[in-house]
Amino acid sequence: MDKFRIQGGACLNGTVRISGAKNAALPLLAATILASSPITLSNVPDLKDVSTLIKVLESLGITVQRDKTSGSVHVDASTLNSRFAPYELVKTMRASILVLGPLLARYGEATVSLPGGCAIGSRPVEQHLKALEAMGAEIRVENGYVHAKVDGRLKGTRLSFDMVTVGGTENVLMAATLAEGTTILDNCAREPEVTDLANLLVKMGAKIEGIDSDQLTIHGVDSLSGVDYSVVADRIETGSYLAAAAMTGGCVRTTHTDPRLLEAVLRKFEEMGATITSGTDWIELDMRGKRPKAVSFRTLPHPAFPTDMQAQIMTVNTIADGTGTITETIFENRYMHVPELSRMGAKIQVDGHTAIVTGVETLQAAPVMATDLRASMSLVLAALTAQGETILDRIYHIDRGYEHVEEKLRGLGAVIERVK
Ligand code: UD1
């Protein structure tokens, strides 16, 4: 199993190019099922999760041509000959459930494995299923599979999600584009990746109002066509590299990104004492060799502070001046990085959903283990400032969501290598 060997102490400086967002690329790939002619996506990151979703599409008979170097993926869904997404593929990545809505809307039936829980929480999908049922689908959950069927087309309806769900909003939005009549969805997720999906669907011919708001109105159309579309920048990758600058007292400029995607995170960096400057497609964080000040925050749906940046900013707090209080409200078990950070000398007290972090002068290197995607990045950040050499095990988690992470970090001056 691959590991990272990281020598702490380097101050990160320079420019890093941000990739397309994993969390946008996945729903966009699922949306290709809806199109009656081929779609070409560009700026698709070269990541394990993207490969998994492509395998799911191929298992449905869809023809996919991918050029990893240029980041383009050409999808021809006209060769689709199956409506079955097997457990073997879905279990490795929960987002595979996103093929359910499009399959049902376009072909009237789908059998998709239930994704099950994952390390950060139970993550059920009942909101996806409830909404599709309200649109006229007959849904049976049997032997770990969702069997969904509809006579004719799905029907437009009005419904409100019981909680803000990114995947639920995306699944139902895709299904509603080809439904008969109008669907009004309330309490929708407003994450930039939902907006990116809605923008692709509109380009394909869908009629959607309220994009970027928590109410989406979708007027169903008879068919959607193929287009060329570029994936939005990865706001979490952007925030992670800026956190690396904040953590090491450096100055990092992220390019091919968009400051409007992560305003809540940028405000926290400013509160830490960092100087943020930005243009339409770049953001620079300059910590000017200073120690960051501890910050407090709660994770909440967009546009508030994202749960996917919680672990990284907690890690900056571990070496900050003062005490920060963090409350995780999205996932029930998203503090698995805490015991690992504690092994490196961090002072963190967890009480239920709240973590109180008191900054220490320095962390110490230790053998640590990645437990999930964003937690892995938080341990990389910790290792960058720790005294000594950290061995980070189970980095397959980080490969799911950070494109060419060690090359990008080395480009900024980090001392990091992948070892077997
Ligand atoms: C997506 C992101 C993930 C991010 C999360 C929250 C992708 C591929 N992943 O995950 O990186 O951390 O949004 O911003 O885009 N819930 C239910 N029932 C449901 C659906 C959700 O109880 O039917 C709960 C979940 O267990 C969780 C919360 O709602 O506690 C939010 O989940 P959701 O927004 O659906 O997350 P994902 O779409 O899985």
Side-chain angles (χ1 to χ4, degrees), residues 22-23 26 94-95 120 122-128 163-168 170 191 307-308 330-332 334 374:
K22 164 182 91 72
N23 286 356
L26 300 176
R94 296 180 38 81
I120 61 177
S122 61
R123 297 177 87 176
V125 292
E126 87 290 346
Q127 297 297 311
H128 307 223
M163 80 252 314
V164 179
T165 156
V166 173
E170 292 167 345
E191 268 62 7
T307 174
D308 285 353
I330 307 289
F331 291 110
E332 73 258 33
R334 208 171 195 182
R374 306 303 168 187

Side-chain angles (χ1 to χ4, degrees), residues 164-203:
V164 179
T165 156
V166 173
T169 304
E170 292 167 345
N171 227 340
V172 182
L173 168 64
M174 288 188 279
T177 56
L178 289 183
E180 205 177 289
T182 297
T183 304
I184 302 176
L185 303 174
D186 287 305
N187 200 24
C188 291
R190 300 164 56 187
E191 268 62 7
E193 295 77 22
V194 177
T195 296
D196 206 38
L197 171 65
N199 288 338
L200 166 72
L201 293 168
V202 166
K203 203 168 178 197

Side-chain angles (χ1 to χ4, degrees), residues 5 9 16 22 24 41 47 67 106 121 123 128 141 144 150 165 194 202 221 234 308 323 354 371 373 376 400 403:
R5 180 187 292 152
V16 60
K22 164 182 91 72
L41 298 176
L47 296 171
D67 179 348
R106 179 102 203 273
R123 297 177 87 176
H128 307 223
V141 178
V150 61
T165 156
V194 177
V202 166
V221 295
D234 196 318
D308 285 353
T323 297
T354 300
T371 49
L373 170 57
S376 323
R400 286 188 39 221
E403 190 178 41

